[in-house]
Structures are given as C-alpha cells and as structure tokens.
C-alpha cells in the first residue's frame, strides 16, 4: 500500500487531483469512479483549475459515481447528482452522456442496480476509483455487515451514517433511509484505488481500515487486498503512522 501523508489540506488535494488528471492525460478515454462527501470537494476544485489551465480535457472520459440516495430526484439539492454538477461537472468539458450516477428515484431500484452494473461492465474496469471513507468504514454506501455484496444494490443506511450526513439536510427526518451503491466487487475491480481521508475524526477508522483485520465489519479493510491502493491522508487522519 502506498500511503502518503500531507502537511496541509491544499497539498493533499493537489496531489490527489494530479493523480486523477494524470490518469486522464495518459488515457483520454479513462473511466473514472467518483465519490461525493466533503472529502473530495477540494480535489475537484484543483481538477477544475488543472482543466482551466488547458492541461487536461475530460471530453472523452467517462465517469461512474459510487452511490445515490434512494428517493431523491436528480434535481434535489442534496442529491449526489446535484453535488457532482455543483462541485465538478458544470465546470469541466465532460460530455453529459458520459456521466453516470445511479438514479435514486428510479421506480424499480433493483432494476436500476442491474442497469447500472451493465453500464459499468460495458465500460470496462475503472482506470481509477476515488474513495472517501465513512466513520464506520463504509466505502460508497457499502455499510459494515455480516456479508458484503459484489454488485450494485439497495442498502439501508445505518443510523450513524444518516446522522453524519444530516448536516446537509434541513432535519434528520429528511435524510433518506436507503441508498443505491455500487458493490465492493466493482470498487475492487478498479485498476487504481485512491482512498482519501482527512481530520482527527477519521484517524481511528483509517487505522482500522489499513492496519486492522480484513473484515466486513469495516468494508474499507477489504482495500488492503487491492494491488494498487494509494492512500492520501492529512497528518490528523494519518496519526497512526507516527
Ligand atoms: C457518504 C458517502 C461516501 C463518503 C462518506 C464520507 O456517506 N456515501 O462516499 O466517503 O460519506 O463523507 P465525508 O467525506 O463527508 O466524510
């Protein structure tokens, strides 16, 4: 595992953006697995500025997001679709048809999962999967469980996950109880996995994910089995390395 610790958030975001833009420069038709949450926002900001400098173009790239809240239409202010447009897609030259995010308001979510898996399969394995990390070790919305699911599926969000995400909603009641997420199989199939975590509050779960036993109780611990895992941490999240 390639673990990199950064002194400032700025240098971390920049380094992560450089890996992602480098992937697209090397292969303009790259397939990127993208993430939401507060962690990647600064990375997207840097990617936009790399794009604006003319260093990279996303015109031929394809993206697949990890997950989406069940029940939220794409235009909902807290949908991950809106998030991705606001923080990234509206500012780069990606072709809208090459953007993929599960449809949280699809009438049949199981059918939506099958549709999404078929699209991913047709696109081939991701050149890079960007990941944040939930406080309970979830990646995408693959929550701790007795067994993890390889394919896309509908998941009941854990109470702690809903609480952590409640800050974006008017009240806890409005936080969706379910989500659609790609499975652990699709994440592990990516050629490169870039896991990013920042802050004191992630220190414990980062240690469990990288140094603890490989267990479905901490889905991120399965990343230890990935041949090309790159981890970028700030000092606070990477405290266990000292
Ligand atoms: C959400 C997302 C995850 C993300 C996690 C951590 O639950 N589904 O993809 O990694 O939150 O979020 P944050 O980066 O805000 O800590």
């Amino acid at each position: 595992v390639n673990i990199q610790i950064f002194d400032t958030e700025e240098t971390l975001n920049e380094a992560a953006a450089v890996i992602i833009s480098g992937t697209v420069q090397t292969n303009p038709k790259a397939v990127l697995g993208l993430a939401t949450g507060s962690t990647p926002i600064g990375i997207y900001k840097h990617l936009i500025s790399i794009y604006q400098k003319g260093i990279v173009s996303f015109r031929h790239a394809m993206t697949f997001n990890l997950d989406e809240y069940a029940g939220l239409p794409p235009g909902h202010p807290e949908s991950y679709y809106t998030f991705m447009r606001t923080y990234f897609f509206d500012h780069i030259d990606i072709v809208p048809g090459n953007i993929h995010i599960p449809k949280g308001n699809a009438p049949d979510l199981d059918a939506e999962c099958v549709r999404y898996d078929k699209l991913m399969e047709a696109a081939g394995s991701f050149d890079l999967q960007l990941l944040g990390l939930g406080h309970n070790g979830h990646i995408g919305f693959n929550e701790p469980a007795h067994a993890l699911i390889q394919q896309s599926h509908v998941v009941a969000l854990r109470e702690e996950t809903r609480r952590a995400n409640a800050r974006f909603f008017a009240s806890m009641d409005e936080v969706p109880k379910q989500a659609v997420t790609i499975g652990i199989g699709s994440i592990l199939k990516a050629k490169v996995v870039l896991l990013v975590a920042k802050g004191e509050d992630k220190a414990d779960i980062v240690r469990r994910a990288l140094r603890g036993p490989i267990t479905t109780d901490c889905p991120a611990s399965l990343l230890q089995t990935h041949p090309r895992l790159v981890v970028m941490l700030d000092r606070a999240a990477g405290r266990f390395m000292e």
Side-chain angles (χ1 to χ4, degrees), residues 34-41 66-69 80 130-135 138-143 157 161-162 164-165 167-168 179 181 195-198 201-202:
L34 297 180
T36 52
S38 50
T39 306
I41 292 178
L66 285 165
D67 46 17
E68 178 60 283
Y69 289 116
Y80 284 164
L130 174 63
L131 288 180
L133 179 63
H135 291 101
H138 73 231
I139 43 178
F141 269 135
N142 290 274
E143 295 274 40
L157 297 178
T161 299
R162 293 187 63 237
N165 288 321
R167 65 188 193 276
F168 302 111
T181 184
L195 175 70
V196 182
K198 300 174 216 174
D201 56 318
K202 294 280 172 80

Side-chain angles (χ1 to χ4, degrees), residues 5-213:
I5 312 258
F6 296 85
D7 281 326
T8 67
E9 196 166 336
E10 199 64 9
T11 51
L12 188 164
N13 290 336
E14 200 178 332
V18 165
I19 289 207
I20 299 169
S21 64
T23 303
V24 180
Q25 282 170 285
T26 311
N27 174 14
K29 291 186 171 175
V31 182
L32 301 175
L34 297 180
T36 52
S38 50
T39 306
I41 292 178
I43 300 171
Y44 293 141
K45 211 172 124 202
H46 272 278
L47 272 174
I48 292 165
S49 94
I50 294 172
Y51 160 75
Q52 285 169 343
K53 287 181 190 141
I55 297 168
V56 70
S57 164
F58 296 90
R59 197 180 306 270
H60 302 290
M62 192 180 273
T63 65
F64 284 90
N65 264 78
L66 285 165
D67 46 17
E68 178 60 283
Y69 289 116
L72 297 195
H76 187 282
E78 295 311 330
S79 75
Y80 284 164
Y81 181 82
T82 299
F83 175 103
M84 290 306 298
R85 285 194 58 173
T86 307
Y87 291 109
F88 193 35
F89 294 147
D90 280 357
H91 313 283
I92 58 168
D93 62 346
I94 190 148
V95 176
N98 287 342
I99 294 171
H100 304 94
I101 303 183
K103 290 190 173 70
N105 66 338
D108 178 344
L109 287 179
D110 291 329
E112 172 61 7
C113 291
V114 172
R115 183 191 73 91
Y116 205 64
D117 280 344
K118 279 196 185 138
L119 282 173
M120 287 193 288
E121 210 178 304
S125 51
F126 300 167
D127 292 280
L128 181 142
Q129 174 67 63
L130 174 63
L131 288 180
L133 179 63
H135 291 101
N136 60 8
H138 73 231
I139 43 178
F141 269 135
N142 290 274
E143 295 274 40
H146 291 303
L148 295 176
I149 300 170
Q150 298 274 39
Q151 296 85 5
S152 297
H153 56 283
V154 180
V155 60
L157 297 178
R158 306 260 296 220
E159 220 30 47
E160 66 261 25
T161 299
R162 293 187 63 237
R163 232 178 293 124
N165 288 321
R167 65 188 193 276
F168 302 111
F169 292 84
S171 72
M172 182 72 180
D173 286 346
E174 286 181 34
V175 185
K177 295 194 165 66
Q178 289 186 316
V180 173
T181 184
I182 72 169
I184 221 78
S186 308
I187 294 173
L188 291 176
K189 247 190 277 167
K191 291 173 192 151
V192 174
V193 174
L194 173 57
L195 175 70
V196 182
K198 300 174 216 174
E200 178 69 33
D201 56 318
K202 294 280 172 80
D204 193 50
I205 195 63
V206 166
R207 185 188 49 75
R208 279 180 59 203
L210 299 178
R211 293 287 186 260

